[in-house]
Each structure stands twice: as C-alpha cells, then as structure tokens.
Amino acid sequence: MTQTNWNSEAHPARLEERLDDDVVRCHLSPRNCRIRPGQHGFCRVRANRDGRLVTLNYGRSVHATEETIETEAVFHYAPGARILSMGNVGCMLNCDYCHNWKTSQARYVEDKDVHRYTPQEVVDIALRHGIGVISWTYNDPVVWHEFVVETAALAKAAGLVNLYKSAFFITGEAIEELLPVIDIFSVSIKSLDPKYYRRITKGWLEPVLEGTEQVFRAGKHVEVSTLMVTDLSDDEKTARDMAAFVGERLSPDVPTHFVRFHPDYRMTNTVRTPVDRLERARAAALGMGLRHVYLGNVYDTASTDTRCAPCGQLQVTRYGLNADLVGLDAGARCTGCGSPSGLTLLPDARPRERVRELPAGEDLRIAEFAWHGDVRALHVQLRNASAAPARVYTRRYGDQGDHAQDGWEAVDLAPHESFRRIAAKSTPGERGVRVAVPPQCDSTLHQVFDRAHFPTVEAADGTLNGDVSPLPLFRPGTRP
Ligand code: SF4
C-alpha cells in the first residue's frame, strides 16, 4: 500500500466558528486565525476544507518514546517515573531558538519523521511497557488538540496519568476541554516581557499567563519553566519577574525551573547559557520567596535537588534526567521533620526486569555510545523485524557507583514493534550506554540535546559548534 503524505488526510477539528462565505475562524490558540477555503492557519496543521475547519495532524506523531518525568520539567510529581512521550507536528508559535524546529515548523517536516498512531495504540504501548504517565510534549500539544483530548480520555479510563508540556499559547475555551483529562501541566513561559514574546516567539504573553492561572485555579498540578537564553533572557530581572508572577498569581510553592539553552534553529551564532548566570537567577527567585526553584539542563549542581522547605532535609537527588528518592516516606512526608512534602508519588507501575549478565549462548550484537561534550542523553530506537516477541537489552557502563550494579535492563518488544527510549547519564563517572539486540532486531542511536528535544537524525551524523548544537543545521530561506 502506498503511504500518503503526513498531512494529506483531514480530520474534523473542534473549536470552529463558521463565518460568511465559507470562511472559518479557529478558536484553539489566541491567534484565532481566520481561514479561507483551501487555506491553512499560522500553524499549518489546521485548515479550511470546503468551509469546515479540519486538522491535518490527527494521529500523526514523532516516534513514541519512553523517557523520565524529569525530561518535562516536572519535579514534584512521581520523581523518576517513566513516561511515554508523544509529540506531533506543527506549532502555534515560531520561536527563534526552537530545538524541535524540524517537527514544530510544519513546512520543514519530512514524512520519514512522522509515525501514525490511533488513540488506542498509544494507550496500549504505555500499558504494554508498564508506563504510568503519558506526556503530550515536544513541538507543542496545543496544535494536536483533538487527538490529545480523545487519547488522554482513553488513557485516564485505563488508569494512566496525563502530562501536558506546553508553551501554552492556547485559549481559555480549549483549556476547558483539557481540564477533565489532564492531570499535570508543565508550562514553558518564555519571558515576562511582552516585547520579547512578540519578537522571539511570534506570540503574545498575557494569554500564556492567564492560561497558567486557569489550570492552577482548577487544582491541577502545575510547574513552570523559563528557557534562559544567553544574553537575551538569562538575567536576574527575568528571574525576578518570573518569581513575582509565580508568587503573586500562582503560589510560592509552585516549582519553578530555569532552563539552560543550547544554540539551535535561527540562533546558532551564540553559546550555551553560562551556568553561573543560572545560579544567580535561581538565587534571585529564592530571595523573592519562592520555595522550590530548580535549574534544568545542568549537571553536577545541588540546584536540581529537592529539599524540605521547613527543615532542609534532602528529599530527592537528581542527576540530569534521573532522580532518586532519599528523604520521603511512602506517604510523601519528609523523613527529617514529618512535614508533608507537597510531592505526589506514584508506585512505579511495573519496573523493567534487569539481569546481571547477558544470557549465555544468545547471539547478541552490541552497539556502544560514549557520552561526549554536552551530549549526555540518547534516544535508542529498537525494532523487532520478526513475527515473534523479542527481548533486547540496554545498560550504562564505566561507572563504579551504584548504577554499575544495575546490570542490563530488558526491553520486551512485541512482534514487528518499533520502540524508542531514552538513556541519560546518571552519575558523573558514567561513560556511556550499550545496547544488545538479537539478529531479528536492530537499533539506531539518536543524540538528545537537553530535555524535551526530539532528535530526527542519527548519532552517526554528528553535531555542530563543538558538540553544543544538534543537526540538522537550519539554513535561512530553505524550503523543502
Ligand atoms: S491553532 Fe492557532 S495558529 Fe493554528 S489555525 Fe488555530 S488559531 Fe491559527
């Protein structure tokens, strides 16, 4: 059967207003695009077909990927939990530094990067792999509204938790449709400067703040983050403005994350955010009364750990995208003073089986990837080409500490299944990752640059700027 282009099938869209002359208005994002027959909106994934609003990306996703909840700037809900990340194509913004521009900017999307899923298939993948949380993430879930709402409802009915990681340039009426099905909102607020929003993101600020307040007032678990872009938004004023918003319009208890930037898309002629600026931003926000302020995309700092606000007891330690509970009891109370931590804990749905040694006598091919430069996470894509179930293995190597004792993690693949999962550096001494697959399976490795980056190229294709920028390189004026 011939595969059609990713955007060739239209699906009825919600939040439609029908105007005269077959024109429609979209009420999904505050842009409220007015779309003539045959045209599309700013996001290029919602269009007018014969006078009706349709979505062109229903069920179109990047590869479903197992990650950890820390990938989504969520630190106070199920630390260390495995999540199933689902990202689609298109976006209602066009940020100059987007690190998912190959999938968020629909004009650059290639069919090879797009996979097809039904709502039931997404839920089945999570259940089969013992994953308790589905994360709607990467480019931005706002422009995947119909698929997210339908699938999240199915997931919820199956006992799964839904996480929504978004820049949240979305209307209040669309949020009302999310509230019954989404449990966790991780909102990326790019800046508190309206001019910055217009210039850098092509959106505007106030709807983002109003939407964040709306989900917080609805009682949802909310965490907020800000990308601290070198020389643009990595100053203490940005941190103080964020602290004022969180403290006054949300609560000082809302976890707030200042996230390190890497050069990407239209902003490759710059450097990563200096870590000392991030630490100063964190100190400024704590000084204004926020109780939990974290840094993101940084290693070897205590600024990613969770401590008890009343007594200072260490409760969760983190390294990169990995977390260990060290000072919480089963009821999420501090083991130091007994105070409620405010964190929500979930029992790990079904931990993966581990083996000390690979099974003797099995014909397994081993691939290896060494951490280098700023590349400290990897997507491992695993494919089972056979009509029978298969077992593959991954492990970290080079560390003399606790994780060296973990051995090989087993991943069971269904017949003909393709599955992606993250491996992230978990201790300073760890040197890399190994993958072992039987003859009927194969694997490809994809370097991850920072949290919630979905890599579209293989590790073998290399990096840019001394390992701080991912390929592909954006060339202004290019059109596929
Ligand atoms: S989602 Fe936003 S950008 Fe896309 S068509 Fe609707 S209003 Fe326009």
Side-chain angles (χ1 to χ4, degrees), residues 14-15 25-35 40-47 53-54 91-93 142-145 169-171:
R14 304 164 83 102
L15 302 161
R25 179 173 285 136
C26 174
H27 284 255
L28 177 51
S29 87
R31 249 175 240 291
N32 287 145
C33 295
R34 199 171 165 279
I35 311 172
H40 51 69
F42 177 94
C43 59
R44 290 176 171 258
V45 289
R46 293 171 89 76
L53 183 65
V54 297
C91 191
M92 62 294 165
L93 299 175
V142 166
V143 291
W144 216 17
H145 189 69
F169 188 59
I170 183 172
T171 60

PDB file of all heavy atoms in Angstrom, residues 14-15 25-35 40-47 53-54 91-93 142-145 169-171, ligand 1:
ATOM      1  N   ARG A  14     -12.189  20.626  16.323  1.00  0.00           N
ATOM      2  CA  ARG A  14     -13.039  21.267  17.324  1.00  0.00           C
ATOM      3  C   ARG A  14     -12.747  22.760  17.299  1.00  0.00           C
ATOM      4  O   ARG A  14     -11.854  23.222  16.617  1.00  0.00           O
ATOM      5  CB  ARG A  14     -12.733  20.694  18.705  1.00  0.00           C
ATOM      6  CG  ARG A  14     -12.883  19.196  18.780  1.00  0.00           C
ATOM      7  CD  ARG A  14     -12.212  18.663  20.021  1.00  0.00           C
ATOM      8  NE  ARG A  14     -13.056  18.759  21.191  1.00  0.00           N
ATOM      9  CZ  ARG A  14     -13.725  17.730  21.717  1.00  0.00           C
ATOM     10  NH1 ARG A  14     -13.638  16.533  21.161  1.00  0.00           N
ATOM     11  NH2 ARG A  14     -14.469  17.888  22.782  1.00  0.00           N
ATOM     12  N   LEU A  15     -13.512  23.494  18.095  1.00  0.00           N
ATOM     13  CA  LEU A  15     -13.264  24.918  18.315  1.00  0.00           C
ATOM     14  C   LEU A  15     -13.313  25.715  17.012  1.00  0.00           C
ATOM     15  O   LEU A  15     -12.491  26.580  16.741  1.00  0.00           O
ATOM     16  CB  LEU A  15     -11.928  25.115  19.047  1.00  0.00           C
ATOM     17  CG  LEU A  15     -11.870  24.391  20.402  1.00  0.00           C
ATOM     18  CD1 LEU A  15     -10.445  24.198  20.873  1.00  0.00           C
ATOM     19  CD2 LEU A  15     -12.689  25.137  21.452  1.00  0.00           C
ATOM     20  N   ARG A  25     -13.163  30.464  11.519  1.00  0.00           N
ATOM     21  CA  ARG A  25     -12.216  31.019  12.497  1.00  0.00           C
ATOM     22  C   ARG A  25     -11.877  29.912  13.483  1.00  0.00           C
ATOM     23  O   ARG A  25     -12.767  29.192  13.945  1.00  0.00           O
ATOM     24  CB  ARG A  25     -12.822  32.215  13.219  1.00  0.00           C
ATOM     25  CG  ARG A  25     -11.879  32.803  14.271  1.00  0.00           C
ATOM     26  CD  ARG A  25     -12.428  34.082  14.865  1.00  0.00           C
ATOM     27  NE  ARG A  25     -12.294  35.202  13.948  1.00  0.00           N
ATOM     28  CZ  ARG A  25     -13.242  36.103  13.702  1.00  0.00           C
ATOM     29  NH1 ARG A  25     -14.415  35.996  14.298  1.00  0.00           N
ATOM     30  NH2 ARG A  25     -13.024  37.094  12.874  1.00  0.00           N
ATOM     31  N   CYS A  26     -10.590  29.779  13.797  1.00  0.00           N
ATOM     32  CA  CYS A  26     -10.130  28.748  14.727  1.00  0.00           C
ATOM     33  C   CYS A  26      -9.999  29.350  16.123  1.00  0.00           C
ATOM     34  O   CYS A  26      -9.369  30.391  16.302  1.00  0.00           O
ATOM     35  CB  CYS A  26      -8.782  28.209  14.261  1.00  0.00           C
ATOM     36  SG  CYS A  26      -8.046  27.058  15.439  1.00  0.00           S
ATOM     37  N   HIS A  27     -10.587  28.691  17.095  1.00  0.00           N
ATOM     38  CA  HIS A  27     -10.557  29.181  18.476  1.00  0.00           C
ATOM     39  C   HIS A  27      -9.627  28.347  19.360  1.00  0.00           C
ATOM     40  O   HIS A  27      -9.817  28.278  20.563  1.00  0.00           O
ATOM     41  CB  HIS A  27     -11.969  29.174  19.059  1.00  0.00           C
ATOM     42  CG  HIS A  27     -12.821  30.291  18.552  1.00  0.00           C
ATOM     43  ND1 HIS A  27     -13.139  31.406  19.293  1.00  0.00           N
ATOM     44  CD2 HIS A  27     -13.396  30.482  17.335  1.00  0.00           C
ATOM     45  CE1 HIS A  27     -13.891  32.227  18.574  1.00  0.00           C
ATOM     46  NE2 HIS A  27     -14.069  31.682  17.376  1.00  0.00           N
ATOM     47  N   LEU A  28      -8.625  27.707  18.755  1.00  0.00           N
ATOM     48  CA  LEU A  28      -7.729  26.873  19.552  1.00  0.00           C
ATOM     49  C   LEU A  28      -6.628  27.688  20.203  1.00  0.00           C
ATOM     50  O   LEU A  28      -6.365  27.552  21.401  1.00  0.00           O
ATOM     51  CB  LEU A  28      -7.139  25.757  18.664  1.00  0.00           C
ATOM     52  CG  LEU A  28      -6.122  24.818  19.284  1.00  0.00           C
ATOM     53  CD1 LEU A  28      -6.611  24.212  20.592  1.00  0.00           C
ATOM     54  CD2 LEU A  28      -5.769  23.698  18.302  1.00  0.00           C
ATOM     55  N   SER A  29      -5.949  28.526  19.442  1.00  0.00           N
ATOM     56  CA  SER A  29      -4.930  29.377  20.048  1.00  0.00           C
ATOM     57  C   SER A  29      -5.382  30.824  19.927  1.00  0.00           C
ATOM     58  O   SER A  29      -6.247  31.147  19.112  1.00  0.00           O
ATOM     59  CB  SER A  29      -3.569  29.169  19.381  1.00  0.00           C
ATOM     60  OG  SER A  29      -3.431  29.999  18.245  1.00  0.00           O
ATOM     61  N   PRO A  30      -4.787  31.718  20.747  1.00  0.00           N
ATOM     62  CA  PRO A  30      -5.245  33.114  20.746  1.00  0.00           C
ATOM     63  C   PRO A  30      -5.047  33.829  19.409  1.00  0.00           C
ATOM     64  O   PRO A  30      -5.516  34.952  19.245  1.00  0.00           O
ATOM     65  CB  PRO A  30      -4.390  33.760  21.848  1.00  0.00           C
ATOM     66  CG  PRO A  30      -3.985  32.635  22.726  1.00  0.00           C
ATOM     67  CD  PRO A  30      -3.809  31.463  21.820  1.00  0.00           C
ATOM     68  N   ARG A  31      -4.363  33.191  18.483  1.00  0.00           N
ATOM     69  CA  ARG A  31      -4.233  33.792  17.158  1.00  0.00           C
ATOM     70  C   ARG A  31      -5.587  33.923  16.469  1.00  0.00           C
ATOM     71  O   ARG A  31      -5.803  34.810  15.648  1.00  0.00           O
ATOM     72  CB  ARG A  31      -3.331  32.910  16.292  1.00  0.00           C
ATOM     73  CG  ARG A  31      -2.026  33.512  15.964  1.00  0.00           C
ATOM     74  CD  ARG A  31      -1.155  32.542  15.207  1.00  0.00           C
ATOM     75  NE  ARG A  31       0.034  32.313  15.963  1.00  0.00           N
ATOM     76  CZ  ARG A  31       0.970  33.220  16.163  1.00  0.00           C
ATOM     77  NH1 ARG A  31       0.857  34.412  15.609  1.00  0.00           N
ATOM     78  NH2 ARG A  31       2.016  32.969  16.900  1.00  0.00           N
ATOM     79  N   ASN A  32      -6.499  32.994  16.790  1.00  0.00           N
ATOM     80  CA  ASN A  32      -7.842  32.988  16.198  1.00  0.00           C
ATOM     81  C   ASN A  32      -7.794  33.185  14.678  1.00  0.00           C
ATOM     82  O   ASN A  32      -8.473  34.066  14.122  1.00  0.00           O
ATOM     83  CB  ASN A  32      -8.731  34.074  16.829  1.00  0.00           C
ATOM     84  CG  ASN A  32      -9.162  33.716  18.246  1.00  0.00           C
ATOM     85  OD1 ASN A  32      -9.294  34.577  19.095  1.00  0.00           O
ATOM     86  ND2 ASN A  32      -9.355  32.438  18.528  1.00  0.00           N
ATOM     87  N   CYS A  33      -7.001  32.386  14.013  1.00  0.00           N
ATOM     88  CA  CYS A  33      -6.825  32.543  12.562  1.00  0.00           C
ATOM     89  C   CYS A  33      -8.179  32.507  11.844  1.00  0.00           C
ATOM     90  O   CYS A  33      -9.041  31.680  12.146  1.00  0.00           O
ATOM     91  CB  CYS A  33      -5.954  31.424  12.001  1.00  0.00           C
ATOM     92  SG  CYS A  33      -4.267  31.444  12.606  1.00  0.00           S
ATOM     93  N   ARG A  34      -8.318  33.408  10.909  1.00  0.00           N
ATOM     94  CA  ARG A  34      -9.490  33.454  10.027  1.00  0.00           C
ATOM     95  C   ARG A  34      -9.044  32.819   8.721  1.00  0.00           C
ATOM     96  O   ARG A  34      -8.108  33.307   8.086  1.00  0.00           O
ATOM     97  CB  ARG A  34      -9.863  34.926   9.834  1.00  0.00           C
ATOM     98  CG  ARG A  34     -11.235  35.214   9.356  1.00  0.00           C
ATOM     99  CD  ARG A  34     -11.493  36.727   9.433  1.00  0.00           C
ATOM    100  NE  ARG A  34     -12.666  37.059   8.660  1.00  0.00           N
ATOM    101  CZ  ARG A  34     -12.667  37.210   7.349  1.00  0.00           C
ATOM    102  NH1 ARG A  34     -11.553  37.088   6.656  1.00  0.00           N
ATOM    103  NH2 ARG A  34     -13.787  37.487   6.702  1.00  0.00           N
ATOM    104  N   ILE A  35      -9.647  31.673   8.361  1.00  0.00           N
ATOM    105  CA  ILE A  35      -9.067  30.859   7.291  1.00  0.00           C
ATOM    106  C   ILE A  35     -10.069  30.710   6.146  1.00  0.00           C
ATOM    107  O   ILE A  35     -11.206  30.272   6.345  1.00  0.00           O
ATOM    108  CB  ILE A  35      -8.668  29.464   7.826  1.00  0.00           C
ATOM    109  CG1 ILE A  35      -7.848  29.588   9.131  1.00  0.00           C
ATOM    110  CG2 ILE A  35      -7.859  28.696   6.783  1.00  0.00           C
ATOM    111  CD1 ILE A  35      -7.581  28.255   9.815  1.00  0.00           C
ATOM    112  N   HIS A  40      -4.649  27.500   5.084  1.00  0.00           N
ATOM    113  CA  HIS A  40      -4.379  26.964   6.412  1.00  0.00           C
ATOM    114  C   HIS A  40      -4.035  28.094   7.362  1.00  0.00           C
ATOM    115  O   HIS A  40      -3.770  29.231   6.946  1.00  0.00           O
ATOM    116  CB  HIS A  40      -3.254  25.923   6.367  1.00  0.00           C
ATOM    117  CG  HIS A  40      -2.015  26.400   5.663  1.00  0.00           C
ATOM    118  ND1 HIS A  40      -1.205  27.379   6.169  1.00  0.00           N
ATOM    119  CD2 HIS A  40      -1.475  26.040   4.476  1.00  0.00           C
ATOM    120  CE1 HIS A  40      -0.210  27.598   5.346  1.00  0.00           C
ATOM    121  NE2 HIS A  40      -0.350  26.808   4.296  1.00  0.00           N
ATOM    122  N   GLY A  41      -4.021  27.775   8.664  1.00  0.00           N
ATOM    123  CA  GLY A  41      -3.686  28.773   9.668  1.00  0.00           C
ATOM    124  C   GLY A  41      -2.179  28.920   9.836  1.00  0.00           C
ATOM    125  O   GLY A  41      -1.389  28.233   9.166  1.00  0.00           O
ATOM    126  N   PHE A  42      -1.783  29.787  10.768  1.00  0.00           N
ATOM    127  CA  PHE A  42      -0.364  30.054  11.043  1.00  0.00           C
ATOM    128  C   PHE A  42       0.401  28.769  11.322  1.00  0.00           C
ATOM    129  O   PHE A  42       1.541  28.601  10.900  1.00  0.00           O
ATOM    130  CB  PHE A  42      -0.284  31.002  12.251  1.00  0.00           C
ATOM    131  CG  PHE A  42       1.102  31.326  12.721  1.00  0.00           C
ATOM    132  CD1 PHE A  42       1.773  32.456  12.287  1.00  0.00           C
ATOM    133  CD2 PHE A  42       1.744  30.493  13.642  1.00  0.00           C
ATOM    134  CE1 PHE A  42       3.057  32.754  12.737  1.00  0.00           C
ATOM    135  CE2 PHE A  42       3.026  30.785  14.105  1.00  0.00           C
ATOM    136  CZ  PHE A  42       3.680  31.918  13.647  1.00  0.00           C
ATOM    137  N   CYS A  43      -0.242  27.834  12.043  1.00  0.00           N
ATOM    138  CA  CYS A  43       0.425  26.593  12.452  1.00  0.00           C
ATOM    139  C   CYS A  43       0.602  25.605  11.307  1.00  0.00           C
ATOM    140  O   CYS A  43       1.336  24.634  11.435  1.00  0.00           O
ATOM    141  CB  CYS A  43      -0.375  25.924  13.563  1.00  0.00           C
ATOM    142  SG  CYS A  43      -2.065  25.529  13.065  1.00  0.00           S
ATOM    143  N   ARG A  44      -0.116  25.822  10.192  1.00  0.00           N
ATOM    144  CA  ARG A  44      -0.057  24.954   9.006  1.00  0.00           C
ATOM    145  C   ARG A  44      -0.595  23.542   9.244  1.00  0.00           C
ATOM    146  O   ARG A  44      -0.427  22.672   8.388  1.00  0.00           O
ATOM    147  CB  ARG A  44       1.378  24.850   8.466  1.00  0.00           C
ATOM    148  CG  ARG A  44       1.863  26.145   7.828  1.00  0.00           C
ATOM    149  CD  ARG A  44       3.294  26.041   7.387  1.00  0.00           C
ATOM    150  NE  ARG A  44       3.644  27.220   6.590  1.00  0.00           N
ATOM    151  CZ  ARG A  44       3.727  27.242   5.269  1.00  0.00           C
ATOM    152  NH1 ARG A  44       3.494  26.150   4.577  1.00  0.00           N
ATOM    153  NH2 ARG A  44       4.038  28.350   4.637  1.00  0.00           N
ATOM    154  N   VAL A  45      -1.180  23.278  10.403  1.00  0.00           N
ATOM    155  CA  VAL A  45      -1.758  21.943  10.610  1.00  0.00           C
ATOM    156  C   VAL A  45      -3.261  22.027  10.861  1.00  0.00           C
ATOM    157  O   VAL A  45      -3.900  21.023  11.165  1.00  0.00           O
ATOM    158  CB  VAL A  45      -1.054  21.179  11.762  1.00  0.00           C
ATOM    159  CG1 VAL A  45       0.347  20.775  11.334  1.00  0.00           C
ATOM    160  CG2 VAL A  45      -1.029  21.980  13.051  1.00  0.00           C
ATOM    161  N   ARG A  46      -3.832  23.225  10.728  1.00  0.00           N
ATOM    162  CA  ARG A  46      -5.289  23.383  10.740  1.00  0.00           C
ATOM    163  C   ARG A  46      -5.652  24.182   9.494  1.00  0.00           C
ATOM    164  O   ARG A  46      -4.960  25.142   9.149  1.00  0.00           O
ATOM    165  CB  ARG A  46      -5.769  24.086  12.022  1.00  0.00           C
ATOM    166  CG  ARG A  46      -5.542  23.206  13.248  1.00  0.00           C
ATOM    167  CD  ARG A  46      -5.785  23.935  14.532  1.00  0.00           C
ATOM    168  NE  ARG A  46      -7.155  23.883  15.010  1.00  0.00           N
ATOM    169  CZ  ARG A  46      -7.695  22.818  15.595  1.00  0.00           C
ATOM    170  NH1 ARG A  46      -7.008  21.697  15.721  1.00  0.00           N
ATOM    171  NH2 ARG A  46      -8.939  22.853  16.045  1.00  0.00           N
ATOM    172  N   ALA A  47      -6.716  23.726   8.837  1.00  0.00           N
ATOM    173  CA  ALA A  47      -7.009  24.280   7.517  1.00  0.00           C
ATOM    174  C   ALA A  47      -8.514  24.353   7.296  1.00  0.00           C
ATOM    175  O   ALA A  47      -9.307  23.819   8.084  1.00  0.00           O
ATOM    176  CB  ALA A  47      -6.356  23.406   6.451  1.00  0.00           C
ATOM    177  N   LEU A  53     -13.497  23.685   9.367  1.00  0.00           N
ATOM    178  CA  LEU A  53     -12.167  23.643   9.980  1.00  0.00           C
ATOM    179  C   LEU A  53     -11.744  22.191  10.165  1.00  0.00           C
ATOM    180  O   LEU A  53     -12.505  21.375  10.706  1.00  0.00           O
ATOM    181  CB  LEU A  53     -12.194  24.353  11.344  1.00  0.00           C
ATOM    182  CG  LEU A  53     -10.854  24.453  12.083  1.00  0.00           C
ATOM    183  CD1 LEU A  53      -9.847  25.316  11.319  1.00  0.00           C
ATOM    184  CD2 LEU A  53     -11.060  25.019  13.495  1.00  0.00           C
ATOM    185  N   VAL A  54     -10.550  21.869   9.709  1.00  0.00           N
ATOM    186  CA  VAL A  54     -10.038  20.498   9.853  1.00  0.00           C
ATOM    187  C   VAL A  54      -8.638  20.550  10.461  1.00  0.00           C
ATOM    188  O   VAL A  54      -7.966  21.578  10.439  1.00  0.00           O
ATOM    189  CB  VAL A  54      -9.959  19.756   8.496  1.00  0.00           C
ATOM    190  CG1 VAL A  54     -11.340  19.594   7.882  1.00  0.00           C
ATOM    191  CG2 VAL A  54      -9.004  20.468   7.532  1.00  0.00           C
ATOM    192  N   CYS A  91       3.120  23.976  15.098  1.00  0.00           N
ATOM    193  CA  CYS A  91       3.133  24.779  16.331  1.00  0.00           C
ATOM    194  C   CYS A  91       2.421  26.094  16.078  1.00  0.00           C
ATOM    195  O   CYS A  91       2.427  26.613  14.963  1.00  0.00           O
ATOM    196  CB  CYS A  91       4.563  25.048  16.805  1.00  0.00           C
ATOM    197  SG  CYS A  91       4.622  25.766  18.482  1.00  0.00           S
ATOM    198  N   MET A  92       1.838  26.633  17.162  1.00  0.00           N
ATOM    199  CA  MET A  92       1.160  27.928  17.067  1.00  0.00           C
ATOM    200  C   MET A  92       2.133  29.073  17.328  1.00  0.00           C
ATOM    201  O   MET A  92       1.749  30.234  17.287  1.00  0.00           O
ATOM    202  CB  MET A  92      -0.041  27.956  18.022  1.00  0.00           C
ATOM    203  CG  MET A  92       0.282  27.813  19.483  1.00  0.00           C
ATOM    204  SD  MET A  92       0.970  26.194  19.935  1.00  0.00           S
ATOM    205  CE  MET A  92       1.616  26.556  21.560  1.00  0.00           C
ATOM    206  N   LEU A  93       3.412  28.725  17.623  1.00  0.00           N
ATOM    207  CA  LEU A  93       4.469  29.729  17.793  1.00  0.00           C
ATOM    208  C   LEU A  93       5.582  29.420  16.787  1.00  0.00           C
ATOM    209  O   LEU A  93       5.566  28.380  16.120  1.00  0.00           O
ATOM    210  CB  LEU A  93       5.022  29.691  19.217  1.00  0.00           C
ATOM    211  CG  LEU A  93       4.028  30.000  20.342  1.00  0.00           C
ATOM    212  CD1 LEU A  93       4.688  29.797  21.708  1.00  0.00           C
ATOM    213  CD2 LEU A  93       3.491  31.421  20.234  1.00  0.00           C
ATOM    214  N   VAL A 142      -0.642  21.774  21.918  1.00  0.00           N
ATOM    215  CA  VAL A 142      -1.823  22.610  21.644  1.00  0.00           C
ATOM    216  C   VAL A 142      -2.386  22.299  20.261  1.00  0.00           C
ATOM    217  O   VAL A 142      -3.595  22.107  20.100  1.00  0.00           O
ATOM    218  CB  VAL A 142      -1.476  24.115  21.780  1.00  0.00           C
ATOM    219  CG1 VAL A 142      -2.572  24.983  21.167  1.00  0.00           C
ATOM    220  CG2 VAL A 142      -1.262  24.476  23.249  1.00  0.00           C
ATOM    221  N   VAL A 143      -1.497  22.210  19.254  1.00  0.00           N
ATOM    222  CA  VAL A 143      -1.990  22.031  17.874  1.00  0.00           C
ATOM    223  C   VAL A 143      -2.377  20.584  17.562  1.00  0.00           C
ATOM    224  O   VAL A 143      -2.664  20.250  16.411  1.00  0.00           O
ATOM    225  CB  VAL A 143      -0.951  22.534  16.837  1.00  0.00           C
ATOM    226  CG1 VAL A 143      -0.824  24.047  16.896  1.00  0.00           C
ATOM    227  CG2 VAL A 143       0.397  21.865  17.039  1.00  0.00           C
ATOM    228  N   TRP A 144      -2.396  19.737  18.586  1.00  0.00           N
ATOM    229  CA  TRP A 144      -2.803  18.333  18.420  1.00  0.00           C
ATOM    230  C   TRP A 144      -4.081  18.110  19.230  1.00  0.00           C
ATOM    231  O   TRP A 144      -4.336  17.004  19.703  1.00  0.00           O
ATOM    232  CB  TRP A 144      -1.695  17.420  18.936  1.00  0.00           C
ATOM    233  CG  TRP A 144      -1.479  16.161  18.192  1.00  0.00           C
ATOM    234  CD1 TRP A 144      -1.907  15.841  16.935  1.00  0.00           C
ATOM    235  CD2 TRP A 144      -0.745  15.015  18.664  1.00  0.00           C
ATOM    236  NE1 TRP A 144      -1.480  14.577  16.598  1.00  0.00           N
ATOM    237  CE2 TRP A 144      -0.759  14.050  17.638  1.00  0.00           C
ATOM    238  CE3 TRP A 144      -0.066  14.721  19.848  1.00  0.00           C
ATOM    239  CZ2 TRP A 144      -0.127  12.813  17.765  1.00  0.00           C
ATOM    240  CZ3 TRP A 144       0.562  13.496  19.965  1.00  0.00           C
ATOM    241  CH2 TRP A 144       0.529  12.554  18.936  1.00  0.00           C
ATOM    242  N   HIS A 145      -4.857  19.128  19.399  1.00  0.00           N
ATOM    243  CA  HIS A 145      -5.903  19.162  20.415  1.00  0.00           C
ATOM    244  C   HIS A 145      -6.860  17.974  20.349  1.00  0.00           C
ATOM    245  O   HIS A 145      -7.125  17.320  21.361  1.00  0.00           O
ATOM    246  CB  HIS A 145      -6.676  20.473  20.268  1.00  0.00           C
ATOM    247  CG  HIS A 145      -7.640  20.739  21.372  1.00  0.00           C
ATOM    248  ND1 HIS A 145      -7.246  21.024  22.662  1.00  0.00           N
ATOM    249  CD2 HIS A 145      -9.000  20.747  21.382  1.00  0.00           C
ATOM    250  CE1 HIS A 145      -8.310  21.197  23.411  1.00  0.00           C
ATOM    251  NE2 HIS A 145      -9.395  21.035  22.669  1.00  0.00           N
ATOM    252  N   PHE A 169       0.262  28.714  24.606  1.00  0.00           N
ATOM    253  CA  PHE A 169      -0.379  29.802  23.879  1.00  0.00           C
ATOM    254  C   PHE A 169      -1.691  29.209  23.358  1.00  0.00           C
ATOM    255  O   PHE A 169      -1.777  28.692  22.254  1.00  0.00           O
ATOM    256  CB  PHE A 169       0.544  30.263  22.743  1.00  0.00           C
ATOM    257  CG  PHE A 169       0.090  31.505  22.046  1.00  0.00           C
ATOM    258  CD1 PHE A 169      -0.093  32.692  22.745  1.00  0.00           C
ATOM    259  CD2 PHE A 169      -0.143  31.507  20.675  1.00  0.00           C
ATOM    260  CE1 PHE A 169      -0.504  33.846  22.090  1.00  0.00           C
ATOM    261  CE2 PHE A 169      -0.550  32.646  20.020  1.00  0.00           C
ATOM    262  CZ  PHE A 169      -0.736  33.823  20.731  1.00  0.00           C
ATOM    263  N   ILE A 170      -2.713  29.260  24.202  1.00  0.00           N
ATOM    264  CA  ILE A 170      -3.943  28.497  24.000  1.00  0.00           C
ATOM    265  C   ILE A 170      -5.100  29.308  24.573  1.00  0.00           C
ATOM    266  O   ILE A 170      -4.917  30.098  25.506  1.00  0.00           O
ATOM    267  CB  ILE A 170      -3.810  27.108  24.680  1.00  0.00           C
ATOM    268  CG1 ILE A 170      -5.041  26.226  24.436  1.00  0.00           C
ATOM    269  CG2 ILE A 170      -3.524  27.237  26.169  1.00  0.00           C
ATOM    270  CD1 ILE A 170      -4.852  24.779  24.930  1.00  0.00           C
ATOM    271  N   THR A 171      -6.296  29.119  24.016  1.00  0.00           N
ATOM    272  CA  THR A 171      -7.445  29.879  24.506  1.00  0.00           C
ATOM    273  C   THR A 171      -8.042  29.230  25.762  1.00  0.00           C
ATOM    274  O   THR A 171      -7.873  28.028  26.002  1.00  0.00           O
ATOM    275  CB  THR A 171      -8.560  29.937  23.442  1.00  0.00           C
ATOM    276  OG1 THR A 171      -8.972  28.599  23.148  1.00  0.00           O
ATOM    277  CG2 THR A 171      -8.099  30.640  22.183  1.00  0.00           C
TER     278      THR A 171
HETATM  279  S1  SF4 B   1      -4.215  26.637  16.278  1.00  0.00           S
HETATM  280 FE1  SF4 B   1      -3.699  28.835  16.358  1.00  0.00          FE
HETATM  281  S2  SF4 B   1      -2.265  29.091  14.670  1.00  0.00           S
HETATM  282 FE2  SF4 B   1      -3.357  27.153  14.280  1.00  0.00          FE
HETATM  283  S3  SF4 B   1      -5.114  27.709  12.983  1.00  0.00           S
HETATM  284 FE3  SF4 B   1      -5.819  27.723  15.127  1.00  0.00          FE
HETATM  285  S4  SF4 B   1      -5.607  29.856  15.762  1.00  0.00           S
HETATM  286 FE4  SF4 B   1      -4.332  29.603  13.906  1.00  0.00          FE
END
